Amino acid sequence: MIPFNKPYSTGRELKYMDEVCHSMTMSGNGTFTKRCHAFFEERYGFKKCLLATSGTDALEMCAMLCELKPGDEVIVPSYTFVSSAIAFLREGAKVVFADSGSAEPNVTAENIAPLINERTRVIVVVHYAGVACDMDSIMALANEHNLLVVEDAAHSIDSFYKGRPLGSIGHLAAFSFHETKNISSGEGGMLAVNDERFIRRSEIIWEKGTNRAEFYRGMVNKYGWCDIGSSFLPSEFNAAFLWAQLEALDDIQGRRKHIWDIYDQALRGHVEDTGIQLPVVPDYATNNGHMYYLVCPSLDFRTRLMAWLKEHGVQTTFHYLPLHSSAYYKDQFRGAPLVNCDRYGDCLVRLPLFYELTDAEAADIARLVIEAAHQ
């Protein structure tokens, strides 16, 4: 069976983790953490980066930094992982779900605009499959209404919008380094801060509500409790593992994009006549090889396609159940029908994509998809 995902190891992870074992700092914010922070800040121009124990924790820091009050509203795409919404619900905000576009799962400014009112404080965007939302139109909308923008960039490492790195455009951003992502530390994430007014408080929230980071830089002669916060920073073992991955970033990205291209070149022009919709990468966006997905014409079609591929030794998987129709939220949802989110929830299927997938395996999977589609 070809698995849907297989975490990749460069071979240096254990070496660096062994260095941590023999160092003076294992608990976090040591040498490897600082290397990772510097890598992202220098390569992508984020004003401040802070590693986190998960992408969810990074989103929770974003929500804390937004300083939401009871009655405040946050607009969130419905077609996303629960973390995109729950981070803001935990801060007492009301989440208002937006539909996806018809051509791709990303949220659009056109779908966001009707949801804005005097209670709206934040827009959350999710760059699905590492392909950028149209950020110019969304930022223009946010600026018009004086709203904060949080980029859920969980899929989006090393992907760009009009030459700008994803995660660098909104006021705040959250990345994930879960084992299913291009770059992994098993579990892990990162907060990226692009608005200087949030930098100092982000460090305090990151360090359990204390100004400990300033103390270690020699900026204060003692540290204490200053604000809310939690233990968001990961151990040096996670950072060491991540550093090995970052050293190989260009190689990993090149391989993943190559596999994506094999799928796309084999399928494009050969399955659309059956009603299958292939990924869209707009002119303003780049593709980082995070995911290759198909949107089937119906739930029944997807079920048959996945069963056929499993029968022939290929594991595939669908993706999100739209949050507005989840067991937790469906009784609370009062908005207009989110028809595109519902369609992606029923019809989207993801093909295997990982570093060690061979060219021949990718080509064979594409062939099986074509055969199944025309049955």
Side-chain angles (χ1 to χ4, degrees):
M1 177 72 71
I2 297 174
F4 168 71
N5 180 63
K6 181 180 179 182
Y8 175 64
S9 173
T10 70
R12 292 189 293 274
E13 288 83 358
L14 290 178
K15 173 181 180 295
Y16 293 152
M17 293 172 77
D18 185 63
E19 289 182 25
V20 173
C21 285
H22 295 89
S23 73
M24 299 296 291
T25 304
M26 297 184 188
S27 59
N29 203 15
T31 300
F32 285 103
T33 298
K34 291 178 173 64
R35 286 182 190 175
C36 293
H37 289 171
F39 178 94
F40 285 107
E41 291 167 5
E42 293 168 7
R43 178 165 175 142
Y44 299 113
F46 305 128
K47 291 183 178 177
K48 184 69 178 179
C49 290
L50 295 169
L51 293 188
T53 50
S54 67
T56 301
D57 274 354
L59 282 164
E60 290 182 356
M61 284 191 283
C62 290
M64 290 180 181
L65 289 166
C66 290
E67 297 188 86
L68 298 163
K69 297 178 178 60
D72 288 348
E73 295 186 0
V74 178
I75 298 173
V76 179
S78 180
Y79 194 68
T80 184
F81 191 58
V82 63
S83 299
S84 306
I86 204 169
F88 298 91
L89 285 175
R90 290 183 64 176
E91 291 301 299
K94 176 184 177 183
V95 169
V96 178
F97 288 118
D99 204 3
S100 300
S102 58
E104 56 175 322
N106 280 342
V107 71
T108 67
E110 291 74 20
N111 287 334
I112 293 169
L115 305 177
I116 296 173
N117 60 45
E118 68 278 2
R119 297 181 298 277
T120 308
R121 297 291 177 267
V122 182
I123 297 170
V124 177
V125 298
V126 178
H127 303 295
Y128 187 80
V131 176
C133 298
D134 185 355
M135 292 304 292
D136 281 351
S137 61
I138 292 171
M139 294 304 295
L141 198 58
N143 291 335
E144 177 185 350
H145 295 278
N146 194 28
L147 305 177
L148 295 174
V149 174
V150 173
E151 293 180 75
D152 183 335
H155 300 175
S156 305
I157 188 170
D158 202 49
S159 204
F160 297 83
Y161 172 81
K162 295 184 178 180
R164 300 178 64 185
L166 299 188
S168 73
I169 303 167
H171 300 85
L172 301 162
F175 289 84
S176 172
F177 305 123
H178 186 267
E179 68 173 28
T180 57
K181 303 303 188 289
N182 295 29
I183 304 299
S184 170
S185 56
E187 285 277 5
M190 184 179 74
L191 169 70
V193 180
N194 303 309
D195 187 321
E196 291 182 354
R197 63 183 152 153
F198 297 117
I199 289 177
R200 182 174 185 270
R201 188 163 184 251
S202 68
E203 284 193 321
I204 290 171
I205 288 172
W206 185 60
E207 279 276 22
K208 309 169 189 71
T210 74
N211 59 342
R212 185 179 181 185
E214 292 178 337
F215 172 74
Y216 280 131
R217 288 198 297 268
M219 297 171 66
V220 294
N221 59 12
K222 58 183 178 180
Y223 73 88
W225 185 12
C226 305
D227 203 338
I228 60 169
S230 190
S231 186
F232 288 121
L233 70 164
S235 78
E236 276 300 283
F237 293 104
N238 295 77
F241 195 104
L242 182 63
W243 179 246
Q245 300 264 303
L246 292 176
E247 285 186 320
L249 176 63
D250 291 335
D251 175 49
I252 292 170
Q253 291 296 91
R255 180 65 194 155
R256 293 185 68 99
K257 287 187 280 189
H258 176 72
I259 295 166
W260 195 100
D261 286 340
I262 290 174
Y263 281 142
D264 203 58
Q265 290 166 16
L267 293 171
R268 201 162 293 276
H270 294 91
V271 294
E272 294 95 323
D273 61 324
T274 68
I276 290 178
Q277 177 183 324
L278 298 180
V280 173
V281 182
D283 291 342
Y284 53 70
T286 62
N287 164 44
N288 70 344
H290 174 64
M291 181 196 310
Y292 198 92
Y293 65 87
L294 313 171
V295 183
C296 298
S298 67
L299 174 59
D300 180 65
F301 190 110
R302 184 181 74 176
T303 302
R304 288 187 286 106
L305 174 62
M306 293 178 69
W308 166 270
L309 291 170
K310 183 178 181 181
E311 181 183 339
H312 289 79
V314 179
Q315 181 188 32
T316 59
T317 185
F318 45 83
H319 214 178
Y320 308 124
L321 171 69
L323 298 182
H324 74 279
S325 57
S326 64
Y328 176 78
Y329 203 85
K330 63 183 179 181
D331 292 337
Q332 305 174 55
F333 182 67
R334 298 292 183 270
L338 305 183
V339 294
N340 293 321
C341 288
D342 290 336
R343 181 167 64 92
Y344 295 126
D346 286 344
C347 301
L348 190 144
V349 59
R350 296 178 289 164
L351 302 183
L353 205 167
F354 51 89
Y355 185 98
E356 294 174 348
L357 188 71
T358 68
D359 289 15
E361 286 171 332
D364 197 44
I365 292 168
R367 177 186 59 79
L368 289 168
V369 169
I370 294 169
E371 289 180 10
H374 289 93
Q375 285 184 346

